[in-house]
Every structure is written in structure tokens, then in C-alpha cells.
Amino acid sequence: MQRTIDKFSFTSEEDMYAAIGSNGITAQQVVNRLAEKIRKERDHQETIDKIVSDMKSPQQVRTTESGVIVRGLENLLIRLSRCCNPIPGDGIVGFITKGRGVSVHRSDCPNIHTEEDTDRLIDVEWAVDSSEARKDFQVDIEISAFDRQGLLNEVMMVVADTKTPMVAVSGKADKEKIAKINMTIKITDVTHLHRIVDRIKQIRDIFSVERIIH
Ligand SMILES: [Zn+2]
């Protein structure tokens, strides 16, 4: 019994050559088929080459200390502003400083939205690997709570439990027993921040947890 072979879907080159004998496929069809195979392999290789060269291009390979890049501009001095402490995942905008360089703010930072300043704003973005390259974006948060015994301890436990480095912590309470705890923590990105904030909010007597803009 003769084997039926779909001439356009050989599973191997042997099948293809076998088909020439059994199904009367022309040599030209074989040549076309091989040419297509070679082209596909070349396209594949070009895709790989492109990915590798993109990875090697200065813009991508040079992870700026800030984790932020300005497209088309290299060797710019970029720093994260201390007023709003942007972290990967935040909407950000660059502000050209009077000296040299760009300071990066959160898009909603009130310090950059004065009338005279708008022409000094430029587009910036997080480097693709910003949160992998650097895991210590500093964030200031303020926790409001009902002041009670053990509160600060419980907050500290949550921070420790999430393995979040703490740079500074201070607390005070007023006569109405409202406690304010200010903390500076080092985090990876917004996901990390949301996780820790959610955990803190689960503690009894916590009213609010907020990021601080100075
Ligand atoms: Zn700012």
C-alpha cells in the first residue's frame, strides 16, 4: 500500500526525500522547501542576535545607580529625589536641575508642578532591571495608630518578618493617645511596599499607613 504524504508537511528531511521518489514531487519543490527552512533558521538566528545586541547596548547594560534611564541620553547624572523617594513601579518624571543632571520625582510629587518649572520636565523611565539590580530603594512611611502598649513592637516585628531593612524609626504620641510612627525602610519596588503596608494595616489599632512626601 502506498504511503500518503502531505507534500507540504514533512516531519523530517528523510520523509521529504522519500516523497520525491513515491509522490513525484519535483526537485524544484524540494529546493523551495529547503530554501524556506534555511530562511527560517536565519531569521531565528537574527532574532537571537538582535536580543543579544540589545542586551549589550550601553543603555541597557549600564544599570544606572538610580535605576532610571532617559531614552537617547547617556551619561546623564540621574538621581532619585529625596522629597518623594520614587521606587520601581511608581509613575516618574525627570526634572532638569540647575546644575547638571536630572532629579527623578514621582509624577504626583507636588514639588515639580509649579508653573515656571514645567519646561524643565523630561520623560524618564525605570530601567528594565531596576529592581533586580538594586534592592534598596528608600521609602519614608508614617503610621498613625491608637497608642497602646506593644504597638511599636508589633510594627517592628512585621518589618522584620518581611525581611525589610529598616534605616530609621521614630515614634511619638499626643495627649489624645494618637501615635505617629515614622519609618524609613529599604524596599525593592511598589509590590514589596504594598505587601508590607498591607501587613502593617492588619495590626490592631492601626488607623493609616502612608508614604511621606517632604
Ligand atoms: Zn519629589
Side-chain angles (χ1 to χ4, degrees):
M1 202 178 113
Q2 202 183 351
R3 194 157 56 117
T4 311
I5 299 172
D6 174 2
K7 62 182 173 180
F8 290 110
S9 65
F10 308 113
T11 52
S12 70
E13 279 178 41
E14 285 91 284
D15 278 351
M16 186 166 67
Y17 291 121
I20 299 170
S22 61
N23 273 18
I25 289 174
T26 68
Q28 186 57 51
Q29 283 171 310
V30 173
V31 169
N32 291 349
R33 182 74 190 168
L34 284 175
E36 188 190 344
K37 185 167 180 269
I38 290 163
R39 186 181 54 76
K40 271 186 185 156
E41 278 169 9
R42 199 192 51 215
D43 287 353
H44 181 60
Q45 187 57 46
E46 278 172 5
T47 307
I48 292 171
D49 289 348
K50 172 92 169 66
I51 292 167
V52 170
S53 85
D54 281 354
M55 284 165 68
K56 281 184 183 159
S57 76
Q59 204 167 59
Q60 293 301 320
V61 90
R62 201 173 125 265
T63 302
T64 59
E65 213 172 305
S66 59
V68 173
I69 55 174
V70 181
R71 284 240 175 260
L73 291 173
E74 284 167 37
N75 304 316
L76 262 183
L77 185 65
I78 301 173
R79 58 181 188 79
L80 302 176
S81 79
R82 286 287 294 133
C83 55
C84 51
N85 288 316
I87 56 176
D90 281 337
I92 47 174
V93 64
F95 183 81
I96 301 162
T97 57
K98 285 216 171 78
R100 219 177 109 260
V102 174
S103 86
V104 177
H105 295 258
R106 282 161 60 183
S107 314
D108 59 352
C109 178
N111 298 327
I112 52 165
H113 287 294
T114 56
E115 195 70 43
E116 67 210 87
D117 287 331
T118 46
D119 56 343
R120 291 165 64 189
L121 298 179
I122 55 164
D123 288 339
V124 295
E125 57 194 276
W126 293 106
V128 193
D129 58 350
S130 57
S131 56
E132 280 94 63
R134 179 180 155 172
K135 297 189 190 304
D136 60 344
F137 293 89
Q138 214 157 289
V139 170
D140 296 325
I141 59 173
E142 184 172 82
I143 301 158
S144 302
F146 173 70
D147 186 32
R148 64 164 168 82
Q149 195 78 30
L151 178 77
L152 184 60
N153 249 338
E154 284 171 42
V155 172
M156 305 278 270
M157 292 269 280
V158 163
V159 176
D161 197 38
T162 55
K163 297 187 169 52
T164 306
M166 189 186 295
V167 180
V169 63
S170 66
K172 57 178 190 288
D174 61 18
K175 283 194 288 269
E176 275 72 47
K177 296 280 246 173
I178 306 297
K180 298 265 188 211
I181 300 169
N182 284 86
M183 258 185 352
T184 304
I185 50 178
K186 286 186 170 183
I187 60 136
T188 316
D189 54 20
V190 284
T191 312
H192 181 188
L193 181 65
H194 288 160
R195 196 169 64 231
I196 186 163
V197 167
D198 286 347
R199 287 282 305 275
I200 294 172
K201 281 179 175 171
Q202 284 167 26
I203 300 171
R204 188 167 53 89
D205 296 327
I206 298 282
F207 303 145
S208 67
V209 183
E210 278 164 14
R211 271 173 88 176
I212 299 300
I213 295 183
H214 300 280

